[in-house]
Amino acid sequence: MVPLDVRVLPVQALLGADLGHPAITESAGLFARPDVVAGAPVRKASYSGALNAS
């Protein structure tokens, strides 16, 4: 299992949708794996903004 914390990804690459950035490319590759589990804290019975933006 490889943990991924969205808070450590480069902000400018995320906001600019820089799909060529090495950190973004590596992170996207993790989601291509068949054993992906996503988790986020629950607030007001809804999912967090990190998952909402996906």
Side-chain angles (χ1 to χ4, degrees):
M1 178 157 80
V2 179
L4 172 63
D5 186 349
V6 70
R7 296 175 294 181
V8 300
L9 294 174
V11 174
Q12 292 300 330
L14 287 172
L15 294 177
D18 183 3
L19 301 178
H21 192 285
I24 303 302
T25 304
E26 181 181 350
S27 300
L30 292 174
F31 286 95
R33 296 173 48 163
D35 58 348
V36 173
V37 176
V42 175
R43 181 169 183 259
K44 295 185 179 181
S46 181
Y47 44 87
S48 72
L51 292 176
N52 190 23
S54 301

